[in-house]
Amino acid sequence: MELAATTIRKLRQVRSRSRLYTVATQPHHPISTVSTACKQIPVCNMEAPPAQLTDIPQVQNGQQQRTTTGGACTAQKSKYLTVTQYLPTPYPHQGNINGAFDSSCCLDGRNNSVINNYVDGNQAIKQTAMHFGDGKRKVDYVLAYHYRHRSSQQNGSPEAHRPPAVIISNGNSVTPEEIGKSPPEQPLPGELQHQHQKLKDQSHQKPPEQDHPPSGNGNGNQSCHPQEVIVVEMSHQDALEEEKRCQRDEFEHNLIEAGLELEKDPENKSQGLNFVRIHAPWHVLSREAEFLKIKVPTKKMYEVKQEHGILVKLYAIWNKCTKPLQPNVPQQSENTKMKHLSYPFSRDKMHLYNIKDKDTFFDNATRSRIVHEILKRTSCTKAKYSMGITTLIANNVYESAYPLHDGDYDHNNGEMNDRMLLHREWARYGAFYKYQPIDLIRKYFGEKIGLYFAWLGLYTWLLIPASVVGIIVFLYGCGTVDADIPSKEMCDHEHSFTMCPLCDKSCDYWNLSTACGTARASHLFDNPATVFFSVFMALWATLFLEHWKRLQMRLSYFWDLTGLEEEEEHPRPEYETKLLLMREKSKNTVNKLEKLTWRNRIPAYLVNCAAILFMMALTFSAVFGVIIYRITTAAALAFSTDEGTRSNARVTVTATAVIINLVVILILDEIYGIVAKWLTEIEVPKTEKTFEERLILKAFLLKFVNSYASIFYVAFFKGRFVGRPGNYAYIFNDYRVEECAPGGCLMELCIQLSIIMLGKQLIQNNLFEIGIPKLKKLYRKLKGVSTEPGENNLHNARQTQQWIRDYALEPFTGLTPEYMEMIIQFGFVTLFVASFPLAPLFALLNNIIEVRLDAKKFVAELRRPDAVRAKDIGIWYNILSGIGKFSVIINAFVISVTSDFIPRLVYQYMYSENGTMHGFINHTLSYFNVSHLKPGTQPENSQFAQDVVFCRYKDYREPPWSPNQYDFSKQYWTVLAVRLAFVILFQNLVMFLSAVVDWLIPDIPKDISEQIKKEKTVLVNVFLKEEHKKLQLIESFLMHDKQKSKTESRGRRSRAASFCQFSRSQRGSFTSFSSHHTDV
């Protein structure tokens, strides 16, 4: 006891002298304060006062000089970094041991341990992959950071004889008057580097004569300096590292105050990588689970109502047939007829929960989510009072923060865990035929990622009926191509039509029969079945969304998300920094700025609008460039002497132009992703959710325009404004506007759509996702091999530790890229499906690979994401719904404007003599007198020159012998009116049918609705029963106390009566006293 009291008195003496608190459990570890470059960093809101010391050794140019000074200090702005250390005696070595703290950290003395599990350099570490050194406490979260010791500490010799106080300069000479000054205000986050750089530049410009001599002044006044002060030159980088180290120390200290347990290795290298392992004990998990209202299973179980009827029997038969397709995971084989009643965790109701083992009651995903919530709200005063780990990562204090995977994913090694199970049953291409283990995915990765894969699985599954119908439509076109009368008329060489030249001078007249192949191929996609398929796909999109809403509600019920509330999000570090800067500028105003308003964001909004318009103009310019390429290439091929080249010129130009367009789209997609992120960042959204939504909207808008601009051109603009022979429209007065093929533009639209869709899926969605992560992994491996000698090499140290293996993986960046590529594909499937019925089939084949590719990426190639709760897919549902409605309009215009469905319908029922399609081709071709061609545009060396009087072109115009020659004919206006009427009719009919489907299918399944009501009833009954038991227990206690009091009262009365009877034989005074006592 005396030894303990003596130690406490010594610690109090040190505390009163330095106004700093000892935080080490062993007495020889020093305490320090750090002030850097014109701004001092407060240490846990405590400042070191100016010390009245006399002996000041200074280091100048590598030599140590000693000066005796004293007296008062003058407050000046700091131009050096100060590390004040109070050491009772010199020590030969310093290190991080269990319960100790590094020599330069400065923390509050309220806790006697800064980090409660330092690993000593001499201590043997148990080689456990996912636990602390003791092998018992599980690692729930990891913080990784790079450290770099000061150059003066790299050899370890200067610290062996360091005096009690040290002042370390960052390159400037230190005057006696500059030591012991008052600190100015803290820097804002992100300003420190600029201030250090500015100070560094100023230090180079400082004249030598301004440096004061080490001795006292001539007046005999002595300066105020600490005793035994060493001035050490410190570089700009060392100053930054010193500040980051102090921020890390304070943040870790605050984590310990929050109840977390930490462990880290000693920094025994000159520079390298280190990890802080975090473990959440039971009292922290229970406290945070109650705060976050995490639903957990109780002991009460109830039966899930099973539906009866023919559908249930069919469903049972289907389950038996698909049993080989079910993944072999425990969650799938459990009894689904019983369900645990779930209730938000509460420490007051611990007896209700099914707690068998406190270490496994919360699964790993929940534990990491709890730790992540603590990390997000833990403050660090040295980071300008900013909240959370995101600020520290943004300021490069920590490099990354991530939860651990559950061991290795190779199921051939070690014990089976969830990660191995996912890899075996889900994340392999060999398991492509199996259903996804959605419950296990949700358990391992969280609800948000679980909902993504559930949505992707449903989308892929519903593509099967769409693909089957698309194949039937395509086969119908193949089967009826020989019976198509217009195709036969085009292929009739005996009665062929002489067509007008396709270009000026170099192009000759040509026979329509040469386009026979194009006409037959067009019929494969331009037939009456495509109209039915367009209506079917519009209803399919509505059915898909309705089915997803029902599945989402079912998952919410089984995943206990029905009562999930929106959690309050912490502001982003960029928002906090912007707000602090705005406050600094407006500190003199009366009204304090509380938040950023739309007025503060007006410049960012203007930049966003201008940038988006510019990007759209860039996309249209790329499309226009491809158009110029097609026109010039077609004109060049027309001069070819090879007959095969001239005959295949149109196909060659179309295919090469589409490939060029695909390359441009892929390049612009990457650029637009970066631009969208930059535009969102300059808006400075407050929360991550707002940031993500705005980023999604911008990226989708830009990528949608980029992917579909060329397709929209071919579908609705190509061949519409070409003019007529003798009065063609020209680009740059030299090149004629291109027109559609004789069979129409639908075939070119099909080629354009198929190549872009397949190219994006093959290159962007598959090769990029496979190749880029492997290249990044190779780069990190090469970078790790070429590390400096003093740096830790991850490939040589502790291969069995999970946090090192996970650090080598690619960080998780969100689900936006995954959703985006599927949304763009959904547009290809629904928007122009009338021109390409095989689009759902190719999407299905791609998604079968995409599911396993994403699964393998999440399980084996990415760090484990933070488990995030979500009850829906967010803004993506609104985008899907918008695309579904937009597809109805697009397909209506494709059928009416791009295809020949309406002209054929009008001809058959209005102009055909016998109600058949005979004569349709002649009806759609107009006459032109070749003598009316403009001079200089006639074909040169034409073999038809002497025989051709009239040439034909595809349009509805009056003939040359008509009074209104070359004007639009009555047939043109009739077809136009029918086209517009079809668009209106088709759109309203499909919208009506979609509304009927929406009305017939409830958003919440009936059984789920009943189960939710039943769960609420059971929950109320459980609590009523509990309260009833409490009342019975209280009543029993009251009755017991009442009976006990009655018994005691009878005993007292009997004893009092006997006592009174005995007192009657005594004196009267005593009798009166006894009777008085009996009354009492």
Side-chain angles (χ1 to χ4, degrees):
M1 294 295 293
E2 292 180 355
L3 179 62
T6 304
T7 304
I8 292 174
R9 283 196 298 272
K10 290 182 179 180
L11 291 175
R12 287 177 178 173
Q13 292 174 2
V14 174
R15 181 187 308 173
S16 61
R17 186 182 72 181
S18 64
R19 297 183 69 183
L20 296 172
Y21 297 148
T22 302
V23 295
T25 57
Q26 298 187 18
H28 67 272
H29 291 283
I31 311 302
S32 61
T33 63
V34 180
S35 63
T36 58
C38 304
K39 305 238 180 194
Q40 183 173 357
I41 304 170
V43 181
C44 304
N45 298 325
M46 292 180 293
E47 308 284 347
Q52 303 293 332
L53 302 173
T54 56
D55 199 11
I56 307 178
Q58 295 183 347
V59 175
Q60 296 180 355
N61 299 327
Q63 300 295 327
Q64 190 181 71
Q65 301 178 2
R66 188 171 297 274
T67 306
T68 303
T69 57
C73 300
T74 59
Q76 300 178 4
K77 290 187 176 181
S78 176
K79 297 180 181 178
Y80 51 87
L81 181 137
T82 306
V83 179
T84 309
Q85 299 174 320
Y86 294 90
L87 302 176
T89 56
Y91 290 92
H93 67 276
Q94 297 178 9
N96 295 331
I97 62 174
N98 292 337
F101 185 42
D102 188 64
S103 61
S104 58
C105 77
C106 328
L107 297 171
D108 196 347
R110 290 171 293 180
N111 196 329
N112 64 350
S113 177
V114 175
I115 212 159
N116 49 6
N117 276 288
Y118 268 107
V119 178
D120 190 3
N122 301 322
Q123 177 181 345
I125 302 175
K126 296 182 180 180
Q127 294 296 328
T128 56
M130 298 186 61
H131 292 80
F132 277 9
D134 56 8
K136 299 179 180 179
R137 288 171 289 183
K138 182 184 296 183
V139 178
D140 297 318
Y141 219 86
V142 174
L143 307 178
Y145 66 91
H146 282 278
Y147 67 88
R148 179 181 180 274
H149 290 308
R150 297 192 299 269
S151 57
S152 59
Q153 294 181 353
Q154 291 178 5
N155 299 327
S157 57
E159 293 193 4
H161 305 287
R162 177 170 289 183
V166 181
I167 295 178
I168 302 178
S169 172
N170 60 346
N172 295 327
S173 300
V174 183
T175 63
E177 291 80 3
E178 288 176 329
I179 303 175
K181 59 186 183 292
S182 60
E185 189 181 355
Q186 289 185 37
L188 293 174
E191 287 186 323
L192 192 61
Q193 291 184 350
H194 300 289
Q195 293 174 358
H196 281 306
Q197 186 63 34
K198 183 177 179 181
L199 179 65
K200 188 176 180 181
D201 297 338
Q202 292 177 355
S203 64
H204 290 295
Q205 299 173 2
K206 183 176 179 181
E209 56 270 18
Q210 292 181 0
D211 294 341
H212 294 265
S215 60
N217 53 26
N219 299 331
N221 297 330
Q222 292 179 338
S223 300
C224 173
H225 304 301
Q227 292 180 352
E228 300 295 330
V229 176
I230 297 178
V231 179
V232 180
E233 297 292 332
M234 174 172 280
S235 66
H236 167 67
Q237 187 176 3
D238 290 340
L240 290 178
E241 290 296 328
E242 200 72 31
E243 182 192 2
K244 291 178 183 178
R245 185 160 56 87
C246 272
Q247 291 185 18
R248 286 194 296 267
D249 293 337
E250 185 198 358
F251 183 72
E252 292 161 7
H253 173 76
N254 293 339
L255 292 180
I256 293 174
E257 286 190 342
L260 298 177
E261 297 176 358
L262 312 182
E263 180 186 68
K264 63 192 277 190
D265 300 328
E267 299 176 359
N268 50 12
K269 300 285 185 179
S270 61
Q271 58 181 347
L273 178 68
N274 207 2
F275 300 92
V276 179
R277 279 91 67 186
I278 302 176
H279 169 75
W282 169 254
H283 71 277
V284 175
L285 294 173
S286 58
R287 180 193 70 206
E288 296 298 323
E290 182 177 359
F291 175 72
L292 297 173
K293 300 179 181 179
I294 296 177
K295 283 189 175 182
V296 293
T298 62
K299 296 177 182 178
K300 177 67 177 178
M301 296 184 69
Y302 66 96
E303 184 179 1
V304 178
K305 182 179 178 181
Q306 301 292 325
E307 293 184 352
H308 300 283
I310 187 64
L311 293 178
V312 177
K313 294 181 180 179
L314 293 176
Y315 185 70
I317 296 173
W318 174 258
N319 284 339
K320 290 181 180 180
C321 296
T322 59
K323 189 175 181 180
L325 305 180
Q326 299 293 339
N328 185 19
V329 295
Q331 285 73 16
Q332 301 293 124
S333 59
E334 289 180 355
N335 185 12
T336 57
K337 295 183 179 180
M338 301 298 293
K339 183 179 185 296
H340 280 279
L341 180 66
S342 298
Y343 185 73
F345 188 86
S346 175
R347 287 173 289 182
D348 297 334
K349 298 179 174 60
M350 296 280 286
H351 58 281
L352 294 178
Y353 305 112
N354 189 22
I355 303 177
K356 298 179 181 178
D357 185 1
K358 291 183 177 181
D359 293 334
T360 59
F361 179 69
F362 295 105
D363 56 26
N364 292 341
T366 305
R367 295 173 68 98
S368 65
R369 178 157 64 89
I370 289 174
V371 175
H372 183 63
E373 289 294 331
I374 297 175
L375 291 174
K376 286 197 298 184
R377 70 169 186 261
T378 301
S379 62
C380 180
T381 58
K382 293 185 179 67
K384 196 60 180 180
Y385 304 95
S386 296
M387 296 292 290
I389 187 64
T390 53
T391 302
L392 298 178
I393 293 177
N395 293 338
N396 294 322
V397 177
Y398 290 98
E399 183 182 355
S400 58
Y402 53 91
L404 292 183
H405 279 292
D406 290 355
D408 197 2
Y409 63 86
D410 188 0
H411 53 272
N412 296 322
N413 300 324
E415 298 180 359
M416 183 62 67
N417 55 50
D418 289 344
R419 191 184 186 194
M420 291 183 183
L421 206 57
L422 285 172
H423 185 265
R424 187 189 70 187
E425 300 294 328
W426 178 54
R428 294 186 303 113
Y429 293 111
F432 74 94
Y433 60 92
K434 290 186 177 182
Y435 288 104
Q436 298 186 95
I438 295 298
D439 292 330
L440 185 59
I441 296 170
R442 171 252 178 181
K443 176 188 174 185
Y444 192 82
F445 293 110
E447 287 80 3
K448 190 172 184 179
I449 295 177
L451 284 174
Y452 163 71
F453 281 104
W455 173 85
L456 181 58
L458 176 65
Y459 171 52
T460 304
W461 185 83
L462 286 180
L463 280 173
I464 296 176
S467 302
V468 171
V469 177
I471 293 173
I472 293 174
V473 170
F474 179 74
L475 293 178
Y476 170 81
C478 295
T480 59
V481 65
D482 293 331
D484 183 48
I485 296 176
S487 299
K488 289 182 178 180
E489 291 182 351
M490 287 188 65
C491 296
D492 188 0
H493 294 278
E494 295 180 0
H495 303 86
S496 183
F497 301 95
T498 302
M499 306 298 293
C500 296
L502 296 176
C503 61
D504 297 337
K505 293 184 180 181
S506 59
C507 295
D508 196 1
Y509 303 103
W510 57 285
N511 291 322
L512 185 60
S513 58
T514 58
C516 176
T518 305
R520 291 174 63 87
S522 297
H523 179 74
L524 301 178
F525 306 101
D526 189 3
N527 54 71
T530 57
V531 180
F532 159 76
F533 190 59
S534 299
V535 177
F536 171 81
M537 289 304 297
L539 298 179
W540 175 88
T542 304
L543 192 67
F544 164 61
L545 294 178
E546 291 301 317
H547 199 156
W548 167 245
K549 285 192 290 186
R550 291 170 61 85
L551 177 61
Q552 187 173 258
M553 197 63 209
R554 188 177 295 275
L555 293 176
S556 297
Y557 166 70
F558 285 104
W559 292 353
D560 298 323
L561 300 173
T562 51
L564 181 63
E565 300 176 357
E566 292 290 337
E567 298 178 1
E568 183 180 358
E569 292 191 71
H570 299 291
R572 299 174 62 249
E574 294 81 2
Y575 179 85
E576 288 183 329
T577 303
K578 180 72 173 179
L579 186 59
L580 290 172
L581 292 173
M582 297 293 291
R583 286 176 180 173
E584 289 293 326
K585 293 180 180 178
S586 61
K587 63 170 58 177
N588 297 326
T589 59
V590 178
N591 297 327
K592 187 178 179 180
L593 187 63
E594 297 293 337
K595 63 179 183 179
L596 297 180
T597 62
W598 63 270
R599 292 184 178 87
N600 304 120
R601 294 189 173 99
I602 285 179
Y605 291 154
L606 294 177
V607 172
N608 270 261
C609 294
I612 290 175
L613 292 176
F614 174 76
M615 292 295 134
M616 289 184 177
L618 180 62
T619 301
F620 297 145
S621 301
V623 174
F624 183 74
V626 174
I627 294 172
I628 297 300
Y629 163 80
R630 291 153 66 115
I631 295 173
T632 55
T633 306
L637 293 177
F639 285 101
S640 177
T641 57
D642 187 11
E643 181 65 25
T645 303
R646 289 199 304 269
S647 61
N648 298 322
R650 185 178 294 274
V651 177
T652 304
V653 169
T654 302
T656 56
V658 173
I659 293 174
I660 294 173
N661 210 348
L662 173 63
V663 174
V664 172
I665 288 174
L666 295 177
I667 295 173
L668 290 181
D669 259 354
E670 301 300 321
I671 296 174
Y672 288 166
I674 299 172
V675 171
K677 185 176 181 180
W678 175 73
L679 292 176
T680 309
E681 287 175 348
I682 65 175
E683 283 187 24
V684 198
K686 184 175 181 180
T687 61
E688 287 294 339
K689 182 179 179 181
T690 309
F691 178 87
E692 185 179 9
E693 289 180 351
R694 296 185 181 182
L695 174 62
I696 288 170
L697 287 176
K698 292 182 182 64
F700 172 74
L701 178 62
L702 293 174
K703 293 189 177 184
F704 182 87
V705 173
N706 182 42
S707 300
Y708 298 111
S710 59
I711 300 175
F712 270 93
Y713 163 74
V714 174
F716 304 121
F717 297 100
K718 184 178 180 180
R720 309 297 169 193
F721 312 101
V722 296
R724 59 171 179 82
N727 190 23
Y728 283 113
Y730 289 88
I731 298 177
F732 305 134
N733 296 324
D734 291 325
Y735 301 103
R736 272 171 48 180
V737 176
E738 60 178 347
E739 51 188 310
C740 295
C745 282
L746 195 67
M747 187 60 195
E748 294 188 36
L749 177 62
C750 176
I751 296 174
Q752 185 95 3
L753 181 65
S754 60
I755 292 180
I756 292 178
M757 178 182 177
L758 297 178
K760 279 180 67 68
Q761 290 183 166
L762 179 63
I763 299 174
Q764 193 174 45
N765 298 0
N766 293 326
L767 293 183
F768 282 6
E769 288 191 17
I770 296 174
I772 291 179
K774 291 188 179 298
L775 291 176
K776 289 182 178 180
K777 188 175 182 179
L778 179 62
Y779 171 74
R780 289 195 302 270
K781 185 177 181 180
L782 295 175
K783 186 179 179 181
V785 171
S786 61
T787 51
E788 297 182 15
E791 188 174 355
N792 287 339
N793 194 338
L794 294 181
H795 300 279
N796 299 328
R798 304 188 301 277
Q799 284 288 348
T800 59
Q801 294 179 352
Q802 187 65 38
W803 52 86
I804 295 181
R805 294 201 297 266
D806 286 0
Y807 176 80
L809 300 177
E810 190 72 17
F812 175 69
T813 57
L815 290 171
T816 300
E818 316 299 333
Y819 272 113
M820 186 66 70
E821 59 189 52
M822 289 295 105
I823 295 295
I824 296 297
Q825 183 200 85
F826 182 78
F828 283 120
V829 170
T830 56
L831 289 179
F832 297 94
V833 73
S835 63
F836 190 42
L838 295 180
L841 175 63
F842 289 111
L844 174 64
L845 297 176
N846 173 80
N847 287 4
I848 292 174
I849 301 174
E850 181 71 22
V851 171
R852 307 303 161 178
L853 181 62
D854 287 345
K856 183 176 177 61
K857 182 170 64 175
F858 273 87
V859 172
E861 297 176 359
L862 293 179
R863 295 175 189 166
R864 187 172 185 173
D866 293 307
V868 179
R869 287 191 297 179
K871 57 184 179 181
D872 51 37
I873 60 175
I875 196 174
W876 295 111
Y877 179 83
N878 299 328
I879 294 176
L880 285 170
S881 180
I883 291 177
K885 292 179 173 59
F886 190 49
S887 66
V888 177
I889 303 173
I890 295 299
N891 283 300
F893 277 99
V894 168
I895 294 172
S896 64
V897 175
T898 310
S899 72
D900 285 338
F901 175 75
I902 298 299
R904 293 185 183 191
L905 200 66
V906 171
Y907 175 78
Q908 185 175 1
Y909 292 100
M910 295 184 65
Y911 296 101
S912 178
E913 296 178 356
N914 51 8
T916 62
M917 294 302 296
H918 290 285
F920 173 73
I921 298 297
N922 184 52
H923 178 76
T924 58
L925 298 177
S926 300
Y927 287 91
F928 180 76
N929 192 338
V930 296
S931 62
H932 295 165
L933 289 173
K934 290 184 178 180
T937 61
Q938 295 89 350
E940 298 178 352
N941 302 322
S942 174
Q943 57 181 347
F944 294 90
Q946 297 178 356
D947 300 331
V948 176
V949 178
F950 296 100
C951 65
R952 310 294 294 271
Y953 61 99
K954 189 173 182 179
D955 205 348
Y956 291 100
R957 292 182 181 269
E958 296 290 344
W961 53 84
S962 172
N964 300 319
Q965 60 179 3
Y966 307 133
D967 289 343
F968 288 116
S969 62
K970 188 168 79 171
Q971 290 88 342
Y972 171 83
W973 300 109
T974 303
V975 171
L976 180 61
V978 175
R979 280 175 170 171
L980 295 178
F982 175 83
V983 169
I984 297 173
L985 179 63
F986 182 89
Q987 176 184 344
N988 287 278
L989 176 63
V990 175
M991 290 292 186
F992 173 75
L993 294 177
S994 299
V996 170
V997 171
D998 191 3
W999 177 71
L1000 290 176
I1001 302 177
D1003 295 344
I1004 303 177
K1006 185 178 179 181
D1007 60 327
I1008 296 299
S1009 178
E1010 293 178 355
Q1011 291 299 329
I1012 291 174
K1013 294 178 183 178
K1014 182 179 179 180
E1015 183 173 315
K1016 291 181 180 179
T1017 304
V1018 173
L1019 189 62
V1020 171
N1021 293 335
V1022 167
F1023 283 104
L1024 287 177
K1025 187 176 180 180
E1026 182 188 2
E1027 294 298 327
H1028 184 65
K1029 288 182 178 179
K1030 287 183 179 179
L1031 290 176
Q1032 287 182 343
L1033 186 62
I1034 293 172
E1035 288 178 358
S1036 65
F1037 277 120
L1038 291 176
M1039 291 296 294
H1040 179 72
D1041 291 342
K1042 189 175 182 180
Q1043 292 176 359
K1044 186 177 180 181
S1045 62
K1046 286 181 180 180
T1047 304
E1048 292 178 353
S1049 177
R1050 290 195 192 101
R1052 285 196 300 269
R1053 289 175 182 175
S1054 62
R1055 287 194 299 272
S1058 62
F1059 180 75
C1060 292
Q1061 187 176 4
F1062 170 77
S1063 66
R1064 290 192 186 102
S1065 63
Q1066 304 299 326
R1067 297 190 303 269
S1069 60
F1070 185 75
T1071 302
S1072 61
F1073 177 77
S1074 300
S1075 61
H1076 175 72
H1077 176 74
T1078 303
D1079 292 337
V1080 174

